[in-house]
Amino acid sequence: MEKALISVLLEEFMDDSLEVDNFILQTTSKASLANLSVLACFDDGSRSAESIPAEYDEYDDIPSPEPPRRKRRRGRGRGRGRGASVGRKRGRGRGRGRSFDPVPLEVLAECVIPHYSDIDFRIQFGMSRVTFEELCTQIAPALAYRTITAEKKVLLTVWILRSRESYGAVSERFDVSKGFLHGICSSVCSALAAIQKEFIKMPEPQEFEKIADGFYQRCQFPGVVGAIGCTHIPIREPSKNTEWFINKEGSFSIQLQAVCDDQLKFLHVHTGCPGLLNNAQVFFDSPLFSQLEDNYLPSGKHLLGDCSYPLKLYLLVPFAETAEMTKEQKKFNENLAYTRSEVDLAMKLLKQKFKRLKFLDIKQVDDMSKVIKAACVLYNFILCKETIEDDVNEIELVEEQDEFEVDLAPEPYPVDSETDEDAHAKRLAIVNSPLCLQD
């Protein structure tokens, strides 16, 4: 019976891009066929769904554009071979008619996941079981139960955010309609975005010194209460204002501006700006600009930005690279770049933990922004509850290569625009300070 069961699973779910999950083999004698069917779906998320019937045109998915993650057998094409036969099997499944009740999701939540070890749970969902339960408690009041509990909605949404599968592939995986899947994900992301101000907020005045001390201990740069930067998130061609979302590389993207503290926690996020804009334009468009202009930071405290940002009393940037630079100015630039890189690391961690941000196959810009904000809130929520030292070590040791990653060089802010004499004086004072010359 066990051998026959495994054979069925291999025939139904496996192709050249997948590997047999050892957990399936270990639990064959314990689990039912339904359990095993769900477990067999726990692959690396590299498969994409075939085209979706016309009735789902509103959510017209496209397959995730990532290259295959596994080597195919010699002589097979990238888009052909046994992968096509899997598609035909799925087609036959549709022909028999599908149920839109989330029965496999019930099995996953009630029969499979409770047997996960704490380590397996964290690997699959990016957080501990305790943190997941606290998350469900936090946003459950904003989620209507109806046919599915808040816990299962959160479980499914976290799965989607951590996966690069298309919505069509996920809907097939859990035997739910795409409309049902979109509705669940949208409601949970809305609930997360609604608590953004609770988990992502600029520090209070009494917190400035603690953050500045943390940055100085780590990076030897005085007075820093945050590092600011932007990252491009690849998207599919949006439904409106398409030309605005074409970045300098010629691909479609939406931008995320973030400020982080010395613990890699987001203090402010702003998203929705199209890829055509440069970092300074995104900054001027964000609510953060008005807040900083209103003397939010005392004169001895500041954010750090790269050369794409304007020099301000509250925002220090590097000296322009010229032949006349002094040794002290070069050292200042080195220290600033090292300190400001904390925000780059935070955004890499965000994308690594929530791989959906590697490519957003969503049409509406508002929906894109909602998903990005939800991922940022989740990132901070997890950071508040547990350490991410393991994630930092992993991303520093293994730099993931992604041909769809948009990594644009910063566009320097015009030097002639630097007219803030007080900011110039402040920067020179730090340059001449022995605090900035330590190695």
Side-chain angles (χ1 to χ4, degrees), residues 17 65-70 72-73 75-84 403-404:
S17 65
E66 59 180 342
R69 296 185 181 179
R70 314 277 189 210
R72 294 192 177 276
R73 292 182 180 176
R76 296 191 184 276
R78 287 172 66 99
R80 296 291 186 266
R82 290 181 62 191
E403 66 177 272
F404 293 96

Side-chain angles (χ1 to χ4, degrees), residues 43-324:
D43 58 65
D44 62 2
S46 60
R47 290 187 297 174
S48 58
E50 61 179 0
S51 59
I52 304 302
E55 59 262 33
Y56 301 118
D57 189 55
E58 178 183 357
Y59 303 108
D60 187 22
D61 257 357
I62 60 173
S64 297
E66 59 180 342
R69 296 185 181 179
R70 314 277 189 210
K71 291 183 178 179
R72 294 192 177 276
R73 292 182 180 176
R74 189 173 300 172
R76 296 191 184 276
R78 287 172 66 99
R80 296 291 186 266
R82 290 181 62 191
S85 66
V86 173
R88 288 196 296 273
K89 287 181 182 179
R90 292 176 181 170
R92 290 201 303 271
R94 280 203 184 95
R96 291 194 296 268
R98 67 148 79 185
S99 168
F100 292 99
D101 296 327
V103 177
L105 184 59
E106 297 283 339
V107 174
L108 175 70
E110 298 176 6
C111 302
V112 178
I113 291 179
H115 295 286
Y116 271 30
S117 68
D118 292 339
I119 294 176
D120 289 337
F121 188 95
R122 193 180 191 284
I123 290 173
Q124 190 64 51
F125 296 100
M127 67 188 87
S128 69
R129 198 185 302 271
V130 172
T131 301
F132 179 83
E133 291 171 353
E134 291 182 10
L135 173 65
C136 293
T137 302
Q138 178 77 35
I139 64 175
L143 302 175
Y145 277 40
R146 298 183 183 176
T147 60
I148 181 172
T149 64
E151 180 182 10
K152 294 185 180 72
K153 289 182 178 182
V154 176
L155 182 151
L156 191 55
T157 301
V158 173
W159 175 285
I160 291 171
L161 291 176
R162 285 184 56 78
S163 169
R164 294 185 66 175
E165 289 181 302
S166 67
Y167 277 85
V170 177
S171 70
E172 288 236 346
R173 180 186 294 281
F174 297 114
D175 196 22
V176 297
S177 71
K178 281 189 63 183
F180 184 78
L181 186 65
H182 272 273
I184 288 176
C185 187
S186 179
S187 64
V188 174
C189 285
S190 295
L192 288 168
I195 60 174
Q196 176 180 335
K197 292 183 179 180
E198 183 177 349
F199 290 95
I200 303 178
K201 54 188 176 182
M202 292 294 285
E204 299 294 333
Q206 61 270 21
E207 300 175 288
F208 288 154
E209 287 300 331
K210 180 180 178 181
I211 296 175
D213 288 344
F215 268 114
Y216 188 77
Q217 292 299 321
R218 290 170 63 89
C219 309
Q220 283 71 56
F221 200 107
V224 181
V225 294
I228 186 171
C230 276
T231 185
H232 286 254
I233 295 176
I235 61 173
R236 65 181 299 183
E237 182 176 349
S239 57
K240 296 179 181 179
N241 301 320
T242 301
E243 64 280 1
W244 280 90
F245 292 87
I246 302 176
N247 56 48
K248 291 189 297 184
E249 287 190 349
S251 59
F252 296 103
S253 65
I254 189 172
Q255 299 204 55
L256 168 64
Q257 175 187 275
V259 177
C260 82
D261 65 9
D262 59 303
Q263 300 298 316
L264 304 180
K265 181 180 177 181
F266 290 134
L267 302 176
H268 188 277
V269 295
H270 174 64
T271 189
C273 290
L276 179 66
L277 303 183
N278 59 42
N279 290 3
Q281 291 170 320
V282 174
F283 174 61
F284 293 141
D285 179 71
S286 71
L288 178 64
F289 174 67
S290 300
Q291 185 178 4
L292 294 173
E293 284 283 303
D294 197 26
N295 298 319
Y296 171 71
L297 297 180
S299 60
K301 300 296 183 287
H302 38 261
L303 305 180
L304 296 185
D306 60 23
C307 63
S308 63
Y309 290 93
L311 175 64
K312 299 282 187 179
L313 261 178
Y314 53 76
L315 176 57
L316 297 186
V317 300
F319 288 91
E321 299 285 343
T322 64
E324 293 77 23

Side-chain angles (χ1 to χ4, degrees), residues 369-386:
S369 298
K370 184 165 60 177
V371 170
I372 296 170
K373 290 177 182 178
C376 292
V377 172
L378 269 179
Y379 171 90
N380 264 22
F381 185 89
I382 295 170
L383 200 58
C384 288
K385 305 297 180 181
E386 55 193 68

